Amino acid sequence: MSNQTALIVDDEPDIRSLLEITLGRMGITTYTAADLSSARALLEEHKPQLCLTDMNLPDGNGIELVQWIQQHSPSTPVAVITAYGSMDTAIESLKAGAFDFVSKPVELPRLRELVNSALKLSEPKVQKTTEADNPGLLLGNSPELRKLRNQTRKLARSQAPVFISGESGSGKELVARMIHLQGPRAEAPFVAVNCGAIPSELMESEFFGHKKGSFTGAVENKVGLFRSADGGTLFLDEVADLPLAMQVKLLRAIQEKAVRPVGDTKEIPVDIRVLSATHKNLPELVLSGDFRQDLFYRINVIELAVPALRERRDDIPLLAEHILERIAGEYECDPATLTSAAIDRLKSYDFPGNVRELENILERAFTLCDEDRIDAGDLHLGGAVAQGSAARGPGNGGGELSDLVPEGEIDLEDYLETIERQAIEKALEATRWNKTAAAKRLGISFRAMRYRLKKLGME
């Protein structure tokens, strides 16, 4: 291994020796200190790539050292060794800026895992553009966005659980993904799960897996989300939607760093970083008894607030340009540009659905605008879309609409897609599959035709 170095700070000679031997076998050169003052001197002299410190030291505590390193050598990851079961101390150290913690008695496999992760942070970055360098929809030059990107970069260096708060559509999953991609777990899986989308009776099996035959329908072994994310990051979106019974099991899995698949007798260790998010007010749910306080403290070690789009209106033109370029790429068309009137209209709109709503508005406008220019009227913001023209669409030969809608329950999306598909097929057949002529016949632009063909899988 290369000349990697670590500083071990502990006033117990036995523990210092154990850590020295373990790190020595990993090819790491170690320096040792028995107190804070000598630790500071060694840190300034040798600039090690990692620091491991005990919590209780003769002249202070580990958190003081974490804070000192944050000020004087912020690029040095520091892990804290805590007494068994003292979770509050571990959380306090993470909030102070510790990379991670390990409990006494120190489990050597867990220590090696931690050391390897920490050293990845010290590796010189290869100069190439990676997914982590692409801000995606975290684009913008507003102070709010710059602050968010800086916080994301800083949190990526830690292993602390992060709770991401923000309105629906503001980009919470994107923030979680950026934390993962910029950290030492970037090469491992990023598994995102919407907690509100899993039926409660399947939740335990989805999270922790199951053994074949453990219940009706369990025809084979299932790994589960926790083990799928092993070595990487598990992102729990809409975590407020978890039922109380599942909250207890989730807390245990996070605390023990292990899961027990349904129908199994033994626990399987997992190494994951947990990030979570919801648009709901979690502190309120804790007060009302709908969310467990102990789980809230565990997942909310550090809170990161994602600003709403209306709080950073100056970022809208840049975001819109990026979204329109992406849409043009997807539909293999030339990008459309926004007129200054359209930009002003967007900047004056409140975006209750945030960035996700901006994407939907622009995608719709892109397919309906003329000649690659989107004007304010193409955005259809506020006020109903002219319904008369829509109702008198081509092919609706004055028949009563109620005659066309089947009786009983229908899946509206599927039903409308079927009608759209039939109308397009009819127009294409009538024009011998000339897409330009078919678009004209349907009263839509060629681009709108391309968009619909792609959306319906009819290309």
Side-chain angles (χ1 to χ4, degrees):
M1 239 182 173
S2 59
N3 56 339
Q4 291 167 317
T5 56
L7 171 65
I8 295 162
V9 189
D10 202 305
D11 60 339
E12 292 181 50
D14 292 354
I15 291 183
R16 279 205 308 274
S17 300
L18 172 71
L19 297 176
E20 261 191 292
I21 292 164
T22 307
L23 270 60
R25 284 182 180 153
M26 294 173 74
I28 299 163
T29 305
T30 53
Y31 307 101
T32 61
D35 52 40
L36 273 181
S37 53
S38 45
R40 288 187 194 118
L42 286 166
L43 278 160
E44 287 187 320
E45 186 184 346
H46 297 289
K47 310 243 177 318
Q49 287 148 306
L50 162 68
C51 175
L52 273 172
T53 178
D54 190 27
M55 190 50 83
N56 302 313
L57 297 166
D59 52 351
N61 65 39
I63 288 175
E64 289 172 57
L65 187 58
V66 172
Q67 289 165 336
W68 188 89
I69 290 173
Q70 282 287 297
Q71 284 180 325
H72 297 88
S73 181
S75 61
T76 305
V78 51
V80 175
I81 303 163
T82 64
Y84 177 74
S86 57
M87 205 55 225
D88 290 348
T89 321
I91 286 172
E92 199 185 335
S93 67
L94 289 171
K95 281 186 170 165
F99 159 76
D100 207 347
F101 68 91
V102 60
S103 302
K104 287 180 182 174
V106 178
E107 292 175 9
L108 296 185
R110 161 93 182 105
L111 177 69
R112 288 189 202 101
E113 230 168 56
L114 181 152
V115 169
N116 283 327
S117 280
L119 290 174
K120 277 183 195 164
L121 291 174
S122 306
E123 286 171 6
K125 290 279 181 280
V126 182
Q127 283 305 306
K128 63 174 184 179
T129 304
T130 64
E131 205 183 338
D133 302 318
N134 175 9
L137 292 175
L138 289 187
L139 272 174
N141 298 314
S142 62
E144 294 84 357
L145 238 277
R146 283 212 291 268
K147 181 184 172 190
L148 180 67
R149 280 199 299 266
N150 285 338
Q151 287 174 315
T152 301
R153 215 169 289 121
K154 191 176 174 189
L155 290 174
R157 296 183 57 81
S158 156
Q159 292 302 296
V162 178
F163 173 67
I164 304 162
S165 61
E167 294 178 7
S168 285
S170 56
K172 297 186 292 294
E173 181 173 340
L174 189 69
V175 170
R177 206 174 277 279
M178 295 305 279
I179 290 173
H180 169 77
L181 286 171
Q182 293 175 341
R185 296 174 178 266
E187 304 297 315
F190 174 87
V191 177
V193 51
N194 183 336
C195 298
I198 305 172
S200 53
E201 65 275 12
L202 294 178
M203 220 165 235
E204 194 173 350
S205 159
E206 284 294 317
F207 275 108
F208 309 137
H210 63 243
K211 284 195 77 174
K212 181 179 174 179
S214 54
F215 55 86
T216 309
V219 290
E220 53 188 30
N221 289 342
K222 185 185 178 83
V223 173
L225 295 160
F226 265 76
R227 284 160 68 201
S228 298
D230 195 25
T233 304
L234 180 63
F235 173 54
L236 303 171
D237 199 5
E238 297 308 344
V239 71
D241 292 344
L242 285 171
L244 282 165
M246 192 60 207
Q247 291 177 28
V248 179
K249 289 170 179 162
L250 182 67
L251 176 66
R252 178 176 165 75
I254 294 171
Q255 268 174 340
E256 303 298 325
K257 295 184 188 289
V259 296
R260 182 180 294 160
V262 177
D264 207 338
T265 51
K266 61 181 190 301
E267 292 204 322
I268 299 165
V270 283
D271 164 35
I272 56 168
R273 182 181 190 185
V274 175
L275 306 176
S276 54
T278 183
H279 70 281
K280 294 180 180 172
N281 187 323
L282 261 194
E284 265 182 24
L285 293 174
V286 169
L287 287 173
S288 66
D290 294 307
F291 199 85
R292 290 183 63 99
Q293 189 172 32
D294 46 9
L295 179 59
F296 175 65
Y297 284 142
R298 181 51 60 90
I299 62 174
N300 186 28
V301 171
I302 295 167
E303 183 171 348
L304 184 58
V306 182
L309 189 53
R310 64 183 166 279
E311 291 167 10
R312 52 184 190 102
R313 294 181 194 275
D314 289 345
D315 292 335
I316 288 172
L318 189 63
L319 259 176
E321 186 186 338
H322 171 79
I323 291 166
L324 286 169
E325 278 179 11
R326 197 197 66 215
I327 293 168
E330 281 174 16
Y331 299 118
E332 296 160 15
C333 299
D334 294 329
T337 54
L338 289 160
T339 64
S340 55
I343 288 172
D344 291 345
R345 183 72 189 89
L346 286 172
K347 286 175 80 170
S348 65
Y349 180 63
D350 264 354
F351 287 103
N354 291 290
V355 180
R356 194 180 297 140
E357 186 180 5
L358 175 63
E359 288 183 282
N360 292 339
I361 287 165
L362 291 174
E363 187 161 356
R364 185 179 62 207
F366 180 87
T367 64
L368 300 177
C369 72
D370 293 320
E371 298 177 349
D372 300 338
R373 287 176 82 247
I374 296 174
D375 206 0
D378 298 316
L379 298 168
H380 295 302
L381 293 181
V385 181
Q387 285 164 347
S389 60
R392 292 190 305 273
N396 185 356
E400 285 296 316
L401 194 58
S402 56
D403 297 342
L404 301 172
V405 180
E407 294 294 324
E409 286 188 16
I410 59 165
D411 182 323
L412 187 62
E413 290 291 322
D414 284 354
Y415 175 65
L416 293 174
E417 258 189 25
T418 306
I419 290 177
E420 196 173 0
R421 191 185 297 274
Q422 286 169 354
I424 291 171
E425 277 173 359
K426 208 169 177 181
L428 285 167
E429 281 166 10
T431 57
R432 295 185 181 174
W433 295 84
N434 180 325
K435 290 175 188 171
T436 309
K440 197 171 181 181
R441 192 180 177 95
L442 290 164
I444 59 176
S445 67
F446 178 65
R447 183 196 282 116
M449 185 71 167
R450 290 279 297 267
Y451 164 70
R452 283 178 162 83
L453 288 171
K454 195 166 181 87
K455 190 181 86 168
L456 297 166
M458 293 174 66
E459 286 178 303

